[in-house]
Amino acid sequence: MSRAVGTVVRGLRGPIINQGDSIEEIVVDTLLNAAKSEGFSIEDRDIVTITESIVARAQGNYATIDHIATDINEKFGNETIGVIFPILSRNRFANCLRGIAKGAKKVILMLSYPADEVGNHLVDIDELDVKGINPWTDVLSEDQFREHFGYKKHPFTGVDYIEYYKSLIEAEGTTCEVIFSNNPKTILEYTKYVLTCDIHSRFRTKRILTNNGAEKVFGLDDILSKSINGSGFNEAYGLLGSNKATEESVKLFPNNCQPIVDRIQEKLKELTGKTVEVMVYGDGAFKDPVGKIWELADPVVSPAYTEGLSGTPNEVKLKYLADNNFSHLRGEELQQAITAFIQNKNDDLVGEMEAQGTTPRRLTDLIGSLSDLTSGSGDKGTPMIYIQGYFDNYTK
């Protein structure tokens, strides 16, 4: 009988992870127990993915608002700080902002508009057109923004983020002024000391600020890039990728994950004789066309993965072959022709017509997105994902 199922994705239920737990042992045991209880076999080139959250929990990679405040004060001193381009998120940024404010005497909060970097909107872009406002050139004060657009609450959270962020800053005893601009240079009219909070555009923003007279420029990736008074830290990403843990702390993106995925792969090889690919994943890289939110608030989809997950897919488009190369064939002849084409395809299909329309993204981004959508961010209780058949094609 010919094979009737391709890729299979399973969410694996494991224990609640706490600081000091061996994440390698837990992942291996969870997978082996799931295979036994559900009756599936572990095969070469299967993939097990682990959410960054449980890795960071096992590492105990946490920091408090006071730790953030101390690092901010050490870097900026007693200067007015421009805090620019933060995302609008209670989970991702609110506690970070509290720590920033606690370490400063005054904050100029510069928000991008109509939306933040990941698609959370302060105002609908159509309203800018109605008001004749150009977001690429026009700088608005808080009063001007309110005059044009009033008070708006985010449709998913019910939060007016302008009011919310300002209240968080002022609750720390820090003076706050809010402005709206998409040009990094705008902040230099208010202060030469800048903390840029964007994620994927941070290197460009830092370069523009540095080249235009800023005296001190740091990004969120520079805050808690080393331990402060015993805190957790992330050497590569600092506060980027952090989440609210408690009312007074954040969980940071996990540190030094490469040895973890390598050891899990080695252990599974010892126990099963199979080479299973392993990766740690955070947010997937996809966009919600209705909510307009781009999911990727982490600095990368995957901070660590085994060697077999490097690169991009090398696939041909079946419908292109059927409509073009073999349009004269039907049934068994068509199937045999396509099978032979796949078996003999080039190792690198970049630029080939037969590959047009295939997804030009890295394997880790694709697999991370698949994993994130499977595990969700709520109470499914499946922080590990097992994927089989991902590298198979129509011929096998």
Side-chain angles (χ1 to χ4, degrees):
M1 181 180 294
S2 62
R3 181 173 168 183
V5 177
T7 302
V8 176
V9 184
R10 296 178 174 89
L12 304 184
R13 291 184 176 179
I16 302 298
I17 308 297
N18 291 303
Q19 181 174 350
D21 288 346
S22 171
I23 196 69
E24 295 98 329
E25 290 183 10
I26 289 171
V27 171
V28 170
D29 290 347
T30 298
L31 174 55
L32 295 180
N33 289 337
K36 182 178 180 180
S37 65
E38 297 298 320
F40 64 85
S41 59
I42 296 171
E43 303 294 343
D44 287 323
R45 300 219 76 189
D46 287 355
I47 308 165
V48 62
T49 66
I50 309 115
T51 182
E52 58 82 19
S53 178
I54 63 171
V55 178
R57 285 181 61 84
Q59 291 176 337
N61 205 22
Y62 293 85
T64 66
I65 289 170
D66 285 339
H67 290 135
I68 298 171
T70 297
D71 202 7
I72 289 290
N73 190 258
E74 287 180 358
K75 284 183 167 63
F76 288 102
N78 201 32
E79 302 290 342
T80 296
I81 303 173
V83 177
I84 72 171
F85 302 153
I87 63 172
L88 307 175
S89 173
R90 295 170 298 175
N91 175 45
R92 288 287 192 172
F93 191 69
N95 271 5
C96 294
L97 182 59
R98 288 179 59 199
I100 293 163
K102 195 168 186 177
K105 70 170 185 178
K106 182 176 181 179
V107 166
I108 308 295
L109 180 64
M110 191 171 90
L111 302 175
S112 55
Y113 76 102
D116 69 8
E117 181 182 4
V118 296
N120 293 297
H121 276 68
L122 288 171
V123 61
D124 193 280
I125 193 167
D126 292 330
E127 293 188 60
L128 301 184
D129 297 337
V130 171
K131 298 291 184 178
I133 292 173
N134 184 341
W136 302 112
T137 59
D138 294 343
V139 178
L140 303 177
S141 67
E142 183 180 359
D143 288 343
Q144 289 171 325
F145 188 93
R146 295 300 193 188
E147 179 183 347
H148 288 301
F149 308 115
Y151 289 76
K152 294 184 178 295
K153 293 184 177 181
H154 192 282
F156 291 169
T157 64
V159 172
D160 180 326
Y161 278 96
I162 302 168
E163 186 175 63
Y164 177 53
Y165 276 6
K166 187 173 182 179
S167 70
L168 291 179
I169 294 169
E170 292 179 340
E172 299 299 332
T174 303
T175 304
C176 177
E177 180 179 354
V178 183
I179 60 174
F180 303 82
S181 176
N182 292 304
N183 185 348
K185 291 186 285 187
T186 299
I187 196 64
L188 299 178
E189 299 174 18
Y190 297 81
T191 178
K192 304 295 185 184
Y193 298 82
V194 187
L195 177 68
T196 180
C197 302
D198 45 347
I199 306 163
H200 307 291
S201 56
R202 64 188 184 277
F203 298 112
R204 175 178 181 268
T205 302
K206 288 180 184 180
R207 173 175 52 80
I208 290 172
L209 291 168
T210 300
N211 291 345
N212 285 276
E215 293 188 26
K216 284 190 177 181
V217 178
F218 294 101
L220 284 184
D221 53 334
D222 301 308
I223 309 302
L224 293 185
S225 59
K226 63 179 181 180
S227 180
I228 301 295
N229 300 328
S231 73
F233 67 100
N234 189 294
E235 187 175 2
Y237 302 118
L239 279 176
L240 291 178
S242 64
N243 290 272
K244 181 178 181 179
T246 70
E247 293 302 320
E248 299 297 324
S249 66
V250 295
K251 177 199 65 62
L252 302 173
F253 213 48
N255 251 324
N256 194 27
C257 297
Q258 193 60 46
I260 295 172
V261 297
D262 289 339
R263 285 195 293 264
I264 292 171
Q265 185 179 62
E266 291 166 4
K267 188 67 173 176
L268 287 171
K269 182 73 171 182
E270 292 173 8
L271 296 174
T272 69
K274 304 296 183 180
T275 299
V276 176
E277 304 298 343
V278 186
M279 67 177 275
V280 176
Y281 71 94
D283 279 345
F286 52 86
K287 184 173 182 177
D288 173 7
V290 177
K292 302 177 182 178
I293 296 172
W294 182 39
E295 176 69 5
L296 187 55
D298 285 325
V300 290
V301 172
S302 175
Y305 48 89
T306 49
E307 186 177 357
L309 298 180
S310 296
T312 58
N314 191 56
E315 301 174 342
V316 295
K317 201 78 168 179
L318 293 187
K319 65 182 181 182
Y320 182 90
L321 295 177
D323 288 343
N324 292 272
N325 302 48
F326 308 116
S327 59
H328 58 292
L329 300 178
R330 294 292 184 274
E332 183 67 23
E333 283 187 306
L334 175 60
Q335 181 174 335
Q336 290 177 356
I338 289 179
T339 297
F341 189 97
I342 294 173
Q343 290 172 337
N344 294 285
K345 67 185 178 182
N346 294 330
D347 292 335
D348 185 357
L349 293 168
V350 173
E352 298 289 338
M353 292 299 293
E354 289 83 5
Q356 67 177 340
T358 57
T359 306
R361 292 165 59 189
R362 294 188 304 178
L363 287 167
T364 51
D365 293 344
L366 292 164
I367 295 164
S369 298
L370 175 62
S371 300
D372 189 27
L373 287 166
T374 303
S375 62
S377 58
D379 57 7
K380 287 186 174 62
T382 56
M384 293 160 272
I385 307 298
Y386 198 61
I387 304 167
Q388 295 186 293
Y390 190 85
F391 295 105
D392 292 352
N393 59 43
Y394 190 62
T395 70
K396 56 184 177 180

